[in-house]
Short mmCIF file of all heavy atoms in Angstrom, two decimals:
data_model
loop_
_atom_site.label_atom_id
_atom_site.label_comp_id
_atom_site.label_asym_id
_atom_site.label_seq_id
_atom_site.Cartn_x
_atom_site.Cartn_y
_atom_site.Cartn_z
N ASN A 72 77.99 -52.28 -12.41
CA ASN A 72 76.78 -52.49 -13.18
C ASN A 72 75.73 -51.49 -12.73
O ASN A 72 75.64 -51.17 -11.59
CB ASN A 72 76.26 -53.94 -12.95
CG ASN A 72 77.02 -54.90 -13.86
OD1 ASN A 72 76.97 -54.92 -15.07
ND2 ASN A 72 77.77 -55.82 -13.20
N CYS A 73 74.94 -51.06 -13.67
CA CYS A 73 73.82 -50.22 -13.32
C CYS A 73 72.92 -50.97 -12.37
O CYS A 73 72.57 -52.15 -12.66
CB CYS A 73 73.02 -49.82 -14.57
SG CYS A 73 71.82 -48.51 -14.30
N PRO A 74 72.58 -50.43 -11.21
CA PRO A 74 71.82 -51.21 -10.26
C PRO A 74 70.46 -51.62 -10.74
O PRO A 74 69.83 -50.92 -11.54
CB PRO A 74 71.62 -50.17 -9.08
CG PRO A 74 72.58 -49.13 -9.29
CD PRO A 74 72.88 -49.08 -10.74
N ARG A 75 70.03 -52.80 -10.26
CA ARG A 75 68.67 -53.23 -10.56
C ARG A 75 67.67 -52.22 -10.06
O ARG A 75 67.86 -51.67 -8.97
CB ARG A 75 68.39 -54.56 -9.86
CG ARG A 75 69.11 -55.70 -10.51
CD ARG A 75 68.63 -57.04 -9.89
NE ARG A 75 69.30 -58.11 -10.56
CZ ARG A 75 69.91 -59.09 -9.91
NH1 ARG A 75 69.89 -59.16 -8.61
NH2 ARG A 75 70.52 -60.04 -10.58
N GLY A 76 66.56 -52.05 -10.72
CA GLY A 76 65.58 -51.05 -10.28
C GLY A 76 65.89 -49.64 -10.64
O GLY A 76 65.16 -48.72 -10.33
N ALA A 77 66.90 -49.42 -11.43
CA ALA A 77 67.23 -48.09 -11.92
C ALA A 77 66.09 -47.65 -12.83
O ALA A 77 65.57 -48.48 -13.60
CB ALA A 77 68.56 -48.05 -12.69
N PRO A 78 65.72 -46.41 -12.84
CA PRO A 78 64.67 -45.95 -13.70
C PRO A 78 65.06 -46.22 -15.15
O PRO A 78 66.25 -46.17 -15.54
CB PRO A 78 64.61 -44.44 -13.44
CG PRO A 78 65.25 -44.22 -12.12
CD PRO A 78 66.25 -45.31 -11.99
N ASP A 79 64.04 -46.48 -16.02
CA ASP A 79 64.38 -46.80 -17.43
C ASP A 79 64.97 -45.62 -18.17
O ASP A 79 65.54 -45.83 -19.21
CB ASP A 79 63.20 -47.42 -18.14
CG ASP A 79 61.97 -46.45 -18.10
OD1 ASP A 79 62.03 -45.35 -17.61
OD2 ASP A 79 60.90 -46.91 -18.66
N TRP A 80 64.87 -44.43 -17.62
CA TRP A 80 65.40 -43.25 -18.36
C TRP A 80 66.85 -43.01 -17.99
O TRP A 80 67.48 -42.13 -18.61
CB TRP A 80 64.50 -41.95 -18.02
CG TRP A 80 64.14 -41.80 -16.60
CD1 TRP A 80 62.93 -42.10 -16.03
CD2 TRP A 80 64.96 -41.24 -15.54
NE1 TRP A 80 62.94 -41.79 -14.68
CE2 TRP A 80 64.18 -41.27 -14.36
CE3 TRP A 80 66.23 -40.69 -15.48
CZ2 TRP A 80 64.67 -40.79 -13.18
CZ3 TRP A 80 66.70 -40.24 -14.28
CH2 TRP A 80 65.90 -40.28 -13.14
N VAL A 81 67.42 -43.74 -17.03
CA VAL A 81 68.84 -43.60 -16.79
C VAL A 81 69.56 -44.32 -17.98
O VAL A 81 69.36 -45.53 -18.21
CB VAL A 81 69.28 -44.27 -15.42
CG1 VAL A 81 70.76 -44.37 -15.31
CG2 VAL A 81 68.67 -43.48 -14.31
N GLN A 82 70.35 -43.53 -18.67
CA GLN A 82 71.05 -44.11 -19.83
C GLN A 82 72.18 -45.05 -19.37
O GLN A 82 72.73 -44.87 -18.30
CB GLN A 82 71.61 -42.98 -20.63
CG GLN A 82 70.60 -42.10 -21.31
CD GLN A 82 71.17 -40.98 -22.16
OE1 GLN A 82 72.13 -41.28 -22.90
NE2 GLN A 82 70.67 -39.80 -21.99
N THR A 83 72.45 -46.01 -20.18
CA THR A 83 73.44 -47.02 -19.85
C THR A 83 74.33 -47.29 -21.13
O THR A 83 73.87 -46.99 -22.25
CB THR A 83 72.85 -48.41 -19.40
OG1 THR A 83 72.04 -48.85 -20.45
CG2 THR A 83 72.08 -48.20 -18.10
N VAL A 84 75.47 -47.89 -20.93
CA VAL A 84 76.30 -48.33 -21.99
C VAL A 84 76.87 -49.70 -21.59
O VAL A 84 77.24 -49.88 -20.40
CB VAL A 84 77.44 -47.36 -22.36
CG1 VAL A 84 78.39 -47.17 -21.22
CG2 VAL A 84 78.20 -47.83 -23.61
N THR A 85 76.82 -50.65 -22.53
CA THR A 85 77.31 -52.04 -22.21
C THR A 85 78.62 -52.13 -22.95
O THR A 85 78.78 -51.95 -24.12
CB THR A 85 76.38 -53.10 -22.73
OG1 THR A 85 75.07 -52.89 -21.99
CG2 THR A 85 76.89 -54.45 -22.43
N LEU A 86 79.74 -52.48 -22.08
CA LEU A 86 81.05 -52.57 -22.65
C LEU A 86 81.61 -53.93 -22.30
O LEU A 86 81.25 -54.54 -21.30
CB LEU A 86 81.93 -51.44 -22.02
CG LEU A 86 81.47 -50.01 -22.32
CD1 LEU A 86 82.29 -49.03 -21.49
CD2 LEU A 86 81.61 -49.72 -23.77
N PRO A 87 82.58 -54.35 -23.11
CA PRO A 87 83.23 -55.66 -22.77
C PRO A 87 84.06 -55.60 -21.56
O PRO A 87 84.63 -54.56 -21.17
CB PRO A 87 84.13 -55.89 -24.03
CG PRO A 87 84.31 -54.59 -24.69
CD PRO A 87 83.14 -53.72 -24.26
N SER A 88 84.13 -56.72 -20.92
CA SER A 88 84.94 -56.84 -19.64
C SER A 88 85.84 -58.13 -19.74
O SER A 88 85.36 -59.11 -20.24
CB SER A 88 84.02 -56.98 -18.44
OG SER A 88 84.77 -57.30 -17.27
N SER A 89 87.05 -57.98 -19.25
CA SER A 89 87.90 -59.14 -19.32
C SER A 89 87.51 -60.17 -18.22
O SER A 89 87.84 -61.36 -18.31
CB SER A 89 89.36 -58.75 -19.09
OG SER A 89 89.51 -58.23 -17.74
#
Side-chain angles (χ1 to χ4, degrees):
N72 282 294
C73 190
R75 286 188 180 132
D79 59 3
W80 45 262
V81 171
Q82 294 180 43
T83 60
V84 62
T85 301
L86 300 172
S88 169
S89 67

